[in-house]
Coordinates of all heavy atoms in Angstrom, one line a residue:
M1 N 24.7 50.3 -24.1 CA 23.9 49.3 -24.6 C 24.4 47.9 -24.2 O 23.6 47.0 -23.8 CB 23.8 49.4 -26.1 CG 22.8 48.5 -26.7 SD 21.3 49.5 -26.9 CE 20.4 48.4 -27.9
I2 N 25.6 47.6 -24.4 CA 26.2 46.4 -24.0 C 26.1 46.1 -22.5 O 25.8 45.0 -22.1 CB 27.7 46.3 -24.5 CG1 27.8 46.3 -26.0 CG2 28.4 45.1 -23.9 CD1 29.1 46.2 -26.6
M3 N 26.3 47.2 -21.7 CA 26.2 47.0 -20.3 C 24.8 46.6 -19.8 O 24.6 45.8 -18.9 CB 26.6 48.3 -19.6 CG 28.1 48.7 -19.7 SD 29.1 47.4 -19.0 CE 29.2 47.9 -17.4
E4 N 23.8 47.2 -20.5 CA 22.4 46.8 -20.2 C 22.2 45.3 -20.6 O 21.5 44.6 -19.8 CB 21.5 47.7 -21.0 CG 21.5 49.1 -20.6 CD 20.6 50.0 -21.5 OE1 20.0 49.5 -22.4 OE2 20.5 51.2 -21.2
E5 N 22.7 44.9 -21.7 CA 22.5 43.5 -22.0 C 23.2 42.5 -21.1 O 22.7 41.5 -20.7 CB 23.0 43.2 -23.5 CG 22.2 43.8 -24.5 CD 22.8 43.5 -25.9 OE1 23.6 42.6 -26.1 OE2 22.4 44.3 -26.8
V6 N 24.4 43.0 -20.6 CA 25.2 42.2 -19.7 C 24.4 42.1 -18.3 O 24.2 41.0 -17.7 CB 26.6 42.7 -19.4 CG1 27.3 42.1 -18.2 CG2 27.4 42.6 -20.7
Q7 N 23.8 43.2 -17.9 CA 23.1 43.3 -16.7 C 21.8 42.4 -16.8 O 21.4 41.7 -15.9 CB 22.7 44.7 -16.3 CG 22.0 44.9 -15.0 CD 22.8 44.4 -13.8 OE1 24.0 44.5 -13.8 NE2 22.1 43.7 -12.9
R8 N 21.1 42.5 -18.0 CA 19.9 41.7 -18.2 C 20.2 40.2 -18.2 O 19.5 39.4 -17.6 CB 19.3 42.1 -19.5 CG 17.9 41.7 -19.7 CD 17.3 42.2 -21.0 NE 18.3 42.8 -21.9 CZ 18.1 43.5 -22.9 NH1 16.9 43.8 -23.2 NH2 19.0 43.9 -23.7
D9 N 21.4 39.9 -18.8 CA 21.8 38.5 -18.8 C 22.1 38.0 -17.4 O 21.7 36.9 -17.0 CB 23.0 38.3 -19.7 CG 22.7 38.4 -21.2 OD1 21.5 38.4 -21.5 OD2 23.7 38.5 -22.0
K10 N 22.7 38.9 -16.6 CA 23.0 38.5 -15.2 C 21.8 38.3 -14.4 O 21.6 37.4 -13.6 CB 23.9 39.6 -14.6 CG 24.4 39.2 -13.2 CD 25.3 40.3 -12.7 CE 25.9 39.9 -11.4 NZ 25.2 40.5 -10.2
N11 N 20.8 39.2 -14.6 CA 19.5 39.1 -13.9 C 18.8 37.8 -14.3 O 18.2 37.1 -13.5 CB 18.6 40.3 -14.2 CG 19.1 41.6 -13.6 OD1 20.0 41.5 -12.7 ND2 18.7 42.7 -14.1
L12 N 18.9 37.5 -15.6 CA 18.2 36.3 -16.1 C 18.9 35.0 -15.4 O 18.2 34.1 -15.0 CB 18.3 36.2 -17.6 CG 17.6 35.0 -18.3 CD1 16.1 35.0 -17.9 CD2 17.8 35.1 -19.8
I13 N 20.2 35.0 -15.4 CA 20.9 33.9 -14.7 C 20.6 33.8 -13.3 O 20.3 32.7 -12.8 CB 22.4 34.1 -15.0 CG1 22.8 33.9 -16.4 CG2 23.2 33.1 -14.1 CD1 24.2 34.2 -16.8
D14 N 20.5 35.0 -12.6 CA 20.1 34.9 -11.2 C 18.7 34.4 -11.0 O 18.4 33.6 -10.1 CB 20.2 36.4 -10.6 CG 21.6 36.8 -10.4 OD1 22.6 36.0 -10.5 OD2 21.9 38.1 -10.3
E15 N 17.8 34.8 -11.9 CA 16.4 34.3 -11.8 C 16.3 32.8 -12.1 O 15.6 32.1 -11.4 CB 15.6 35.1 -12.8 CG 14.1 34.8 -12.7 CD 13.3 35.7 -13.6 OE1 13.8 36.6 -14.2 OE2 12.1 35.4 -13.7
I16 N 17.1 32.3 -13.0 CA 17.2 30.9 -13.3 C 17.7 30.1 -12.1 O 17.1 29.1 -11.7 CB 18.0 30.6 -14.5 CG1 17.3 31.1 -15.8 CG2 18.3 29.1 -14.6 CD1 18.1 31.1 -17.1
K17 N 18.7 30.7 -11.4 CA 19.3 30.0 -10.2 C 18.2 30.0 -9.1 O 18.1 29.0 -8.4 CB 20.5 30.7 -9.8 CG 21.7 30.5 -10.7 CD 23.0 31.2 -10.2 CE 24.1 30.9 -11.1 NZ 25.4 31.6 -10.6
M18 N 17.4 31.1 -9.0 CA 16.4 31.1 -8.0 C 15.4 30.1 -8.2 O 14.9 29.3 -7.3 CB 15.8 32.5 -7.9 CG 14.7 32.6 -6.9 SD 13.7 34.1 -7.1 CE 12.9 33.9 -8.6
Y19 N 14.9 29.9 -9.5 CA 13.9 28.9 -9.8 C 14.5 27.5 -9.6 O 13.8 26.6 -9.2 CB 13.4 29.1 -11.2 CG 12.5 30.2 -11.4 CD1 12.7 31.3 -12.3 CD2 11.3 30.3 -10.5 CE1 11.8 32.4 -12.4 CE2 10.4 31.4 -10.7 CZ 10.7 32.4 -11.6 OH 9.8 33.4 -11.7
E20 N 15.8 27.3 -9.9 CA 16.4 26.0 -9.7 C 16.4 25.7 -8.2 O 16.1 24.5 -7.8 CB 17.8 26.1 -10.2 CG 18.5 24.7 -10.1 CD 20.0 24.8 -10.6 OE1 20.5 25.9 -10.8 OE2 20.5 23.7 -10.9
K21 N 16.7 26.6 -7.3 CA 16.6 26.4 -5.9 C 15.2 26.0 -5.4 O 15.0 25.1 -4.6 CB 17.1 27.6 -5.1 CG 18.6 27.8 -5.1 CD 19.1 29.0 -4.3 CE 20.5 29.2 -4.4 NZ 20.9 30.5 -3.7
K22 N 14.2 26.8 -6.0 CA 12.8 26.5 -5.6 C 12.4 25.1 -6.1 O 11.7 24.4 -5.3 CB 11.9 27.6 -6.2 CG 11.9 28.9 -5.5 CD 10.9 29.8 -6.1 CE 11.0 31.2 -5.4 NZ 10.0 32.1 -6.0
A23 N 12.9 24.7 -7.2 CA 12.5 23.4 -7.8 C 13.1 22.3 -6.9 O 12.5 21.3 -6.6 CB 13.0 23.3 -9.2
K24 N 14.3 22.5 -6.5 CA 15.0 21.5 -5.6 C 14.3 21.4 -4.3 O 14.1 20.3 -3.7 CB 16.5 21.9 -5.4 CG 17.3 21.6 -6.7 CD 18.8 21.9 -6.4 CE 19.6 21.6 -7.7 NZ 21.0 21.9 -7.6
E25 N 13.9 22.5 -3.7 CA 13.2 22.5 -2.5 C 11.8 21.8 -2.6 O 11.4 21.0 -1.8 CB 12.9 24.0 -2.0 CG 12.1 24.1 -0.7 CD 12.8 23.4 0.5 OE1 14.0 23.2 0.5 OE2 12.1 23.1 1.5
I26 N 11.1 22.1 -3.7 CA 9.8 21.4 -4.0 C 10.1 19.9 -4.1 O 9.3 19.1 -3.6 CB 9.1 22.0 -5.2 CG1 8.7 23.4 -4.9 CG2 8.0 21.1 -5.7 CD1 8.2 24.1 -6.2
E27 N 11.1 19.5 -4.8 CA 11.5 18.1 -5.0 C 11.8 17.4 -3.6 O 11.3 16.4 -3.3 CB 12.7 17.9 -5.9 CG 13.1 16.5 -6.1 CD 14.4 16.4 -6.9 OE1 15.1 17.4 -7.0 OE2 14.6 15.3 -7.5
R28 N 12.5 18.1 -2.8 CA 12.9 17.6 -1.4 C 11.6 17.4 -0.6 O 11.4 16.4 0.0 CB 13.8 18.6 -0.7 CG 14.3 18.1 0.6 CD 15.1 19.1 1.4 NE 14.3 20.3 1.7 CZ 13.4 20.3 2.7 NH1 13.1 19.2 3.4 NH2 12.7 21.4 3.0
R29 N 10.7 18.4 -0.6 CA 9.5 18.3 0.2 C 8.6 17.1 -0.4 O 8.0 16.4 0.4 CB 8.7 19.6 0.1 CG 9.3 20.7 0.9 CD 8.4 21.9 0.8 NE 9.0 23.1 1.4 CZ 8.6 24.3 1.3 NH1 7.5 24.5 0.5 NH2 9.2 25.3 1.8
A30 N 8.5 17.0 -1.7 CA 7.7 15.9 -2.3 C 8.3 14.5 -1.9 O 7.5 13.6 -1.6 CB 7.7 16.0 -3.8
K31 N 9.6 14.4 -1.9 CA 10.2 13.1 -1.5 C 9.9 12.9 0.0 O 9.6 11.7 0.3 CB 11.7 13.2 -1.7 CG 12.2 13.0 -3.1 CD 13.7 13.1 -3.3 CE 14.1 12.9 -4.7 NZ 15.6 13.0 -4.8
E32 N 10.0 13.9 0.8 CA 9.7 13.7 2.3 C 8.3 13.2 2.5 O 8.0 12.3 3.2 CB 10.0 15.0 3.0 CG 11.4 15.3 3.3 CD 11.6 16.6 4.0 OE1 10.6 17.3 4.4 OE2 12.7 17.0 4.2
K33 N 7.4 13.9 1.8 CA 5.9 13.5 1.9 C 5.7 12.1 1.4 O 5.0 11.4 2.0 CB 5.1 14.6 1.0 CG 3.6 14.4 1.2 CD 3.2 14.8 2.6 CE 1.7 14.8 2.7 NZ 1.2 15.0 4.0
Y34 N 6.3 11.8 0.3 CA 6.2 10.4 -0.3 C 6.7 9.4 0.7 O 6.0 8.4 1.0 CB 7.0 10.3 -1.6 CG 7.1 8.9 -2.1 CD1 6.0 8.4 -2.8 CD2 8.2 8.2 -2.0 CE1 6.1 7.1 -3.3 CE2 8.3 6.9 -2.5 CZ 7.3 6.4 -3.2 OH 7.4 5.1 -3.6
M35 N 7.8 9.6 1.3 CA 8.4 8.7 2.3 C 7.5 8.6 3.5 O 7.3 7.5 4.1 CB 9.8 9.1 2.7 CG 10.8 9.0 1.5 SD 10.8 7.4 0.7 CE 11.4 6.3 2.0
E36 N 6.9 9.7 4.0 CA 6.0 9.6 5.1 C 4.8 8.8 4.7 O 4.3 8.0 5.6 CB 5.5 11.1 5.4 CG 6.6 11.9 6.1 CD 6.1 13.3 6.3 OE1 4.9 13.6 6.1 OE2 6.9 14.2 6.7
Q37 N 4.3 8.9 3.5 CA 3.1 8.2 3.1 C 3.4 6.7 3.0 O 2.6 5.8 3.4 CB 2.5 8.7 1.8 CG 1.9 10.0 2.0 CD 1.4 10.6 0.7 OE1 1.7 10.2 -0.4 NE2 0.6 11.7 0.8
V38 N 4.6 6.4 2.4 CA 5.0 5.0 2.3 C 5.2 4.3 3.7 O 4.7 3.2 3.9 CB 6.3 4.9 1.5 CG1 7.0 3.5 1.6 CG2 6.1 5.2 0.0
S39 N 5.8 5.1 4.6 CA 5.9 4.6 6.0 C 4.6 4.4 6.6 O 4.4 3.3 7.3 CB 6.8 5.6 6.8 OG 6.9 5.2 8.1
D40 N 3.7 5.3 6.5 CA 2.3 5.1 7.0 C 1.6 3.9 6.5 O 1.0 3.2 7.2 CB 1.5 6.4 6.7 CG 0.2 6.4 7.4 OD1 0.2 6.0 8.6 OD2 -0.8 6.8 6.8
I41 N 1.7 3.7 5.2 CA 1.1 2.6 4.5 C 1.7 1.3 5.1 O 1.0 0.3 5.4 CB 1.2 2.6 3.0 CG1 0.3 3.8 2.5 CG2 0.8 1.3 2.3 CD1 0.5 4.1 1.0
K42 N 3.0 1.2 5.2 CA 3.7 0.0 5.7 C 3.2 -0.3 7.1 O 3.0 -1.4 7.5 CB 5.2 0.2 5.7 CG 5.9 0.1 4.4 CD 7.4 0.3 4.6 CE 8.1 0.2 3.2 NZ 9.6 0.4 3.4
Q43 N 3.1 0.8 8.0 CA 2.6 0.5 9.3 C 1.2 0.0 9.4 O 0.8 -0.9 10.1 CB 2.7 1.9 10.1 CG 4.1 2.3 10.5 CD 4.1 3.6 11.2 OE1 3.1 4.3 11.3 NE2 5.3 4.0 11.6
K44 N 0.3 0.6 8.5 CA -1.1 0.1 8.4 C -1.2 -1.3 8.0 O -2.0 -2.1 8.5 CB -1.9 1.0 7.5 CG -2.2 2.4 8.1 CD -3.0 3.3 7.2 CE -3.2 4.6 7.8 NZ -4.0 5.5 6.9
L45 N -0.4 -1.7 6.9 CA -0.4 -3.0 6.5 C 0.2 -4.0 7.5 O -0.4 -5.1 7.7 CB 0.5 -3.1 5.2 CG -0.1 -2.6 3.9 CD1 0.9 -2.6 2.8 CD2 -1.3 -3.4 3.5
S46 N 1.2 -3.6 8.3 CA 1.7 -4.4 9.3 C 0.7 -4.7 10.4 O 0.5 -5.8 10.8 CB 2.9 -3.7 9.9 OG 3.4 -4.5 11.0
R47 N 0.0 -3.6 10.8 CA -1.1 -3.8 11.8 C -2.2 -4.7 11.3 O -2.7 -5.5 12.0 CB -1.7 -2.4 12.2 CG -0.9 -1.7 13.3 CD -1.5 -0.5 13.8 NE -0.8 0.6 13.2 CZ -1.3 1.7 12.6 NH1 -2.6 1.8 12.5 NH2 -0.5 2.6 12.1
A48 N -2.6 -4.5 10.0 CA -3.7 -5.3 9.5 C -3.3 -6.7 9.4 O -4.1 -7.7 9.7 CB -4.1 -4.8 8.1
S49 N -2.0 -7.0 9.0 CA -1.5 -8.3 8.9 C -1.5 -9.0 10.3 O -1.9 -10.2 10.5 CB -0.1 -8.3 8.4 OG 0.5 -9.6 8.4
E50 N -1.0 -8.3 11.3 CA -1.0 -8.8 12.7 C -2.4 -9.1 13.2 O -2.7 -10.2 13.8 CB -0.4 -7.8 13.6 CG 1.1 -7.7 13.4 CD 1.7 -6.5 14.3 OE1 1.0 -6.0 15.2 OE2 2.9 -6.2 14.0
E51 N -3.4 -8.2 12.9 CA -4.8 -8.5 13.3 C -5.3 -9.7 12.6 O -6.0 -10.5 13.2 CB -5.6 -7.2 13.0 CG -5.3 -6.0 13.9 CD -6.1 -4.8 13.5 OE1 -7.0 -4.9 12.6 OE2 -5.8 -3.7 14.1
A52 N -5.1 -9.8 11.3 CA -5.6 -11.0 10.5 C -5.0 -12.2 11.1 O -5.7 -13.3 11.2 CB -5.3 -10.8 9.1
S53 N -3.7 -12.2 11.4 CA -3.0 -13.4 12.0 C -3.6 -13.8 13.3 O -3.9 -15.0 13.5 CB -1.5 -13.1 12.2 OG -0.9 -14.2 12.7
V54 N -3.9 -12.8 14.2 CA -4.5 -13.1 15.4 C -5.9 -13.7 15.3 O -6.3 -14.7 15.9 CB -4.6 -11.8 16.3 CG1 -5.5 -12.0 17.5 CG2 -3.2 -11.4 16.8
R55 N -6.7 -13.1 14.4 CA -8.0 -13.6 14.1 C -8.0 -15.0 13.5 O -8.9 -15.8 13.9 CB -8.8 -12.6 13.2 CG -9.2 -11.3 13.8 CD -10.0 -10.5 13.0 NE -10.3 -9.2 13.6 CZ -10.4 -8.1 13.0 NH1 -10.1 -8.0 11.7 NH2 -10.7 -7.0 13.7
A56 N -7.1 -15.2 12.6 CA -7.0 -16.6 12.0 C -6.6 -17.6 13.1 O -7.2 -18.7 13.1 CB -5.9 -16.6 10.9
K57 N -5.7 -17.3 14.0 CA -5.4 -18.2 15.1 C -6.6 -18.4 16.0 O -6.8 -19.6 16.5 CB -4.2 -17.6 15.9 CG -2.9 -17.7 15.2 CD -1.8 -17.0 16.0 CE -0.5 -17.0 15.2 NZ 0.6 -16.3 15.9
E58 N -7.3 -17.4 16.3 CA -8.5 -17.6 17.1 C -9.5 -18.5 16.4 O -10.1 -19.4 17.1 CB -9.2 -16.2 17.4 CG -8.4 -15.3 18.3 CD -9.0 -13.9 18.4 OE1 -10.1 -13.7 17.8 OE2 -8.5 -13.1 19.2
V59 N -9.8 -18.3 15.1 CA -10.7 -19.2 14.4 C -10.2 -20.7 14.4 O -10.9 -21.6 14.7 CB -10.9 -18.7 13.0 CG1 -11.6 -19.8 12.1 CG2 -11.6 -17.4 12.9
I60 N -8.9 -20.8 14.2 CA -8.3 -22.2 14.2 C -8.5 -22.8 15.6 O -8.9 -24.0 15.7 CB -6.8 -22.2 13.8 CG1 -6.8 -21.8 12.3 CG2 -6.2 -23.5 14.1 CD1 -5.4 -21.5 11.8
D61 N -8.2 -22.0 16.6 CA -8.4 -22.5 18.0 C -9.8 -22.9 18.3 O -10.1 -23.9 18.9 CB -7.9 -21.5 19.0 CG -6.4 -21.3 19.0 OD1 -5.7 -22.2 18.5 OD2 -5.9 -20.3 19.6
N62 N -10.8 -22.0 17.8 CA -12.2 -22.3 18.1 C -12.6 -23.6 17.3 O -13.4 -24.4 17.9 CB -13.0 -21.1 17.6 CG -12.9 -19.9 18.6 OD1 -12.5 -20.1 19.7 ND2 -13.2 -18.7 18.1
V63 N -12.1 -23.7 16.1 CA -12.5 -24.9 15.3 C -11.9 -26.2 16.0 O -12.6 -27.2 16.2 CB -12.0 -24.8 13.9 CG1 -12.1 -26.2 13.2 CG2 -12.8 -23.8 13.1
G64 N -10.7 -26.1 16.5 CA -10.1 -27.2 17.2 C -10.8 -27.6 18.4 O -11.1 -28.8 18.7
T65 N -11.2 -26.6 19.2 CA -12.0 -26.8 20.4 C -13.3 -27.5 20.1 O -13.8 -28.4 20.7 CB -12.2 -25.5 21.1 OG1 -11.0 -24.9 21.5 CG2 -13.0 -25.7 22.4
Y66 N -14.0 -26.9 19.0 CA -15.3 -27.5 18.6 C -15.2 -28.9 18.2 O -16.0 -29.8 18.6 CB -15.9 -26.7 17.5 CG -17.3 -27.2 17.1 CD1 -18.4 -26.8 17.8 CD2 -17.4 -28.0 16.0 CE1 -19.7 -27.2 17.4 CE2 -18.7 -28.5 15.6 CZ -19.8 -28.1 16.4 OH -21.0 -28.6 16.0
V67 N -14.1 -29.3 17.5 CA -13.9 -30.6 17.0 C -13.6 -31.5 18.2 O -14.1 -32.7 18.2 CB -12.7 -30.7 15.9 CG1 -12.3 -32.1 15.7 CG2 -13.1 -30.0 14.7
K68 N -12.8 -31.1 19.1 CA -12.6 -31.9 20.3 C -13.8 -32.1 21.1 O -14.1 -33.2 21.6 CB -11.5 -31.3 21.2 CG -10.1 -31.3 20.6 CD -9.1 -30.6 21.5 CE -7.8 -30.6 20.8 NZ -6.8 -29.9 21.6
E69 N -14.7 -31.1 21.2 CA -15.9 -31.2 22.0 C -17.0 -32.0 21.3 O -17.9 -32.6 21.9 CB -16.4 -29.9 22.5 CG -15.4 -29.2 23.5 CD -15.8 -27.8 23.8 OE1 -16.8 -27.3 23.2 OE2 -15.1 -27.2 24.6
N70 N -17.0 -31.9 20.0 CA -18.1 -32.5 19.2 C -17.6 -33.2 18.0 O -17.8 -32.8 16.8 CB -19.1 -31.3 18.7 CG -19.6 -30.5 19.8 OD1 -20.4 -31.0 20.6 ND2 -19.2 -29.2 19.8
P71 N -16.9 -34.3 18.2 CA -16.2 -35.0 17.1 C -17.2 -35.5 16.0 O -16.9 -35.5 14.8 CB -15.5 -36.1 17.7 CG -16.1 -36.3 19.1 CD -16.7 -35.0 19.5
Q72 N -18.4 -36.1 16.4 CA -19.3 -36.6 15.5 C -19.9 -35.5 14.6 O -20.0 -35.6 13.4 CB -20.5 -37.3 16.2 CG -20.0 -38.6 16.8 CD -19.6 -38.4 18.3 OE1 -19.7 -37.3 18.8 NE2 -19.0 -39.4 18.9
K73 N -20.3 -34.4 15.2 CA -20.8 -33.2 14.5 C -19.8 -32.7 13.5 O -20.1 -32.3 12.4 CB -21.3 -32.1 15.4 CG -22.6 -32.4 16.1 CD -23.0 -31.2 17.0 CE -24.2 -31.5 17.8 NZ -24.6 -30.3 18.6
A74 N -18.6 -32.6 14.0 CA -17.5 -32.1 13.2 C -17.3 -33.0 11.9 O -17.1 -32.5 10.8 CB -16.2 -31.9 14.0
A75 N -17.3 -34.3 12.1 CA -17.1 -35.2 11.0 C -18.3 -35.0 10.0 O -18.0 -35.0 8.8 CB -17.1 -36.6 11.5
V76 N -19.5 -34.9 10.5 CA -20.6 -34.7 9.6 C -20.5 -33.4 8.8 O -20.8 -33.4 7.6 CB -22.0 -34.8 10.4 CG1 -23.1 -34.5 9.5 CG2 -22.1 -36.2 10.9
I77 N -20.2 -32.4 9.5 CA -20.0 -31.0 8.9 C -18.9 -31.1 7.9 O -19.0 -30.6 6.7 CB -19.7 -29.9 9.9 CG1 -21.0 -29.7 10.8 CG2 -19.3 -28.7 9.3 CD1 -20.7 -28.8 12.0
G78 N -17.8 -31.7 8.2 CA -16.6 -31.8 7.3 C -17.1 -32.6 6.0 O -16.7 -32.2 4.9
F79 N -17.8 -33.7 6.2 CA -18.3 -34.5 5.1 C -19.2 -33.7 4.2 O -19.1 -33.7 3.0 CB -19.0 -35.8 5.6 CG -19.6 -36.6 4.5 CD1 -18.8 -37.4 3.7 CD2 -21.0 -36.5 4.3 CE1 -19.4 -38.1 2.7 CE2 -21.6 -37.3 3.3 CZ -20.8 -38.1 2.5
G80 N -20.1 -32.9 4.8 CA -21.0 -32.1 4.1 C -20.3 -31.0 3.3 O -20.6 -30.8 2.1
V81 N -19.4 -30.4 3.9 CA -18.6 -29.3 3.2 C -17.9 -29.9 2.1 O -17.8 -29.4 0.9 CB -17.7 -28.6 4.2 CG1 -16.8 -27.7 3.4 CG2 -18.5 -27.7 5.2
G82 N -17.2 -31.0 2.3 CA -16.4 -31.7 1.2 C -17.3 -32.1 0.1 O -17.0 -31.9 -1.1
L83 N -18.5 -32.7 0.4 CA -19.4 -33.2 -0.6 C -19.9 -32.0 -1.4 O -19.9 -32.0 -2.6 CB -20.5 -33.9 0.0 CG -21.6 -34.4 -0.9 CD1 -21.0 -35.5 -1.9 CD2 -22.8 -35.0 -0.2
G84 N -20.3 -30.9 -0.7 CA -20.8 -29.7 -1.4 C -19.7 -29.1 -2.3 O -20.0 -28.7 -3.4
L85 N -18.5 -29.0 -1.8 CA -17.4 -28.4 -2.7 C -17.2 -29.3 -3.9 O -17.0 -28.8 -5.0 CB -16.2 -28.2 -1.9 CG -16.1 -27.0 -0.9 CD1 -14.8 -27.0 -0.1 CD2 -16.2 -25.7 -1.7
G86 N -17.1 -30.6 -3.6 CA -16.9 -31.6 -4.7 C -18.0 -31.5 -5.8 O -17.7 -31.4 -7.0
L87 N -19.2 -31.4 -5.4 CA -20.3 -31.3 -6.3 C -20.3 -29.9 -7.1 O -20.4 -29.9 -8.3 CB -21.7 -31.4 -5.6 CG -22.0 -32.8 -5.1 CD1 -23.3 -32.7 -4.3 CD2 -22.2 -33.8 -6.3
A88 N -20.0 -28.9 -6.4 CA -19.9 -27.5 -7.0 C -18.8 -27.5 -8.0 O -18.9 -27.0 -9.1 CB -19.7 -26.5 -5.9
L89 N -17.6 -28.0 -7.6 CA -16.5 -28.0 -8.5 C -16.7 -28.9 -9.7 O -16.3 -28.6 -10.8 CB -15.2 -28.4 -7.8 CG -14.6 -27.4 -6.8 CD1 -13.5 -28.0 -6.0 CD2 -14.2 -26.1 -7.5
G90 N -17.3 -30.0 -9.5 CA -17.6 -31.0 -10.6 C -18.6 -30.3 -11.6 O -18.4 -30.4 -12.8
W91 N -19.6 -29.7 -11.0 CA -20.6 -29.0 -11.9 C -19.9 -27.8 -12.7 O -20.1 -27.7 -13.8 CB -21.7 -28.4 -11.0 CG -22.7 -27.7 -11.8 CD1 -23.7 -28.2 -12.6 CD2 -22.9 -26.2 -11.8 NE1 -24.5 -27.1 -13.1 CE2 -24.0 -25.9 -12.7 CE3 -22.2 -25.2 -11.3 CZ2 -24.4 -24.7 -13.0 CZ3 -22.6 -23.9 -11.5 CH2 -23.7 -23.6 -12.4
F92 N -19.0 -27.1 -12.0 CA -18.3 -25.9 -12.6 C -17.4 -26.4 -13.8 O -17.5 -25.8 -14.8 CB -17.5 -25.2 -11.6 CG -16.7 -24.1 -12.1 CD1 -17.3 -22.9 -12.5 CD2 -15.3 -24.2 -12.3 CE1 -16.6 -21.8 -13.0 CE2 -14.6 -23.1 -12.8 CZ -15.2 -21.9 -13.2
F93 N -16.6 -27.5 -13.5 CA -15.7 -27.9 -14.5 C -16.4 -28.7 -15.6 O -16.0 -28.8 -16.8 CB -14.6 -28.8 -13.9 CG -13.6 -27.9 -13.2 CD1 -13.5 -28.0 -11.8 CD2 -12.8 -27.0 -13.9 CE1 -12.5 -27.2 -11.1 CE2 -11.9 -26.2 -13.2 CZ -11.7 -26.4 -11.8
K94 N -17.6 -29.3 -15.3 CA -18.3 -30.0 -16.3 C -18.9 -29.0 -17.4 O -19.0 -29.3 -18.5 CB -19.5 -30.8 -15.7 CG -20.2 -31.7 -16.6 CD -21.2 -32.5 -15.9 CE -21.9 -33.5 -16.8 NZ -22.9 -34.3 -16.1
K95 N -19.3 -27.8 -16.9 CA -19.9 -26.8 -17.8 C -18.8 -26.3 -18.8 O -19.2 -25.9 -19.9 CB -20.4 -25.7 -17.0 CG -21.7 -26.0 -16.3 CD -22.5 -24.7 -16.1 CE -23.9 -25.0 -16.1 NZ -24.8 -24.0 -16.6
K96 N -17.6 -26.3 -18.4 CA -16.5 -25.8 -19.3 C -16.2 -26.8 -20.3 O -16.2 -27.1 -21.3 CB -15.3 -25.4 -18.5 CG -15.4 -24.2 -17.8 CD -14.1 -23.7 -17.2 CE -14.2 -22.4 -16.6 NZ -12.9 -21.8 -16.2

């Protein structure tokens, strides 16, 4: 009877060790997958940031070129945008 209990206890310990190994393997795989996803997100953000930077530079260059080629129109447009924003902000803050 005692031998059976000892064997059962040994089997139980072996089973617990097996589950512990499986849990560690699952944890390792999950960490690897997480790190892959983080790396992928970082790469995508980096690419998006680079693209946005290039587009912003293009817009700035285009605006600069337009201002140089059409200074009067640019001044009128700038005045209109400033006036419009000023009126909109004044109206917004007056309501509060």
Side-chain angles (χ1 to χ4, degrees):
M1 187 95 170
I2 293 179
M3 293 300 274
E4 290 174 1
E5 288 181 20
V6 169
Q7 184 61 37
R8 196 174 16 194
D9 289 346
K10 185 177 185 259
N11 289 342
L12 185 59
I13 290 171
D14 289 344
E15 189 174 348
I16 290 171
K17 287 180 180 179
M18 179 190 67
Y19 285 124
E20 183 179 18
K21 285 180 183 178
K22 285 183 180 182
K24 286 181 180 180
E25 178 63 20
I26 291 170
E27 179 185 21
R28 184 189 63 76
R29 287 182 189 169
K31 283 181 182 178
E32 285 178 4
K33 186 70 173 171
Y34 171 77
M35 293 308 294
E36 287 174 9
Q37 289 176 347
V38 167
S39 177
D40 187 43
I41 290 170
K42 283 182 181 179
Q43 289 175 354
K44 287 179 181 179
L45 285 174
S46 177
R47 275 187 254 131
S49 175
E50 288 173 11
E51 289 175 10
S53 177
V54 167
R55 287 185 181 141
K57 288 177 184 176
E58 289 174 357
V59 168
I60 291 170
D61 290 343
N62 289 339
V63 168
T65 301
Y66 183 82
V67 169
K68 286 178 184 176
E69 292 175 357
N70 305 294
Q72 292 87 7
K73 286 183 183 179
V76 171
I77 290 171
F79 175 76
V81 169
L83 180 64
L85 283 174
L87 290 173
L89 288 173
W91 178 77
F92 177 75
F93 286 113
K94 188 176 181 182
K95 283 206 155 212
K96 285 189 171 186

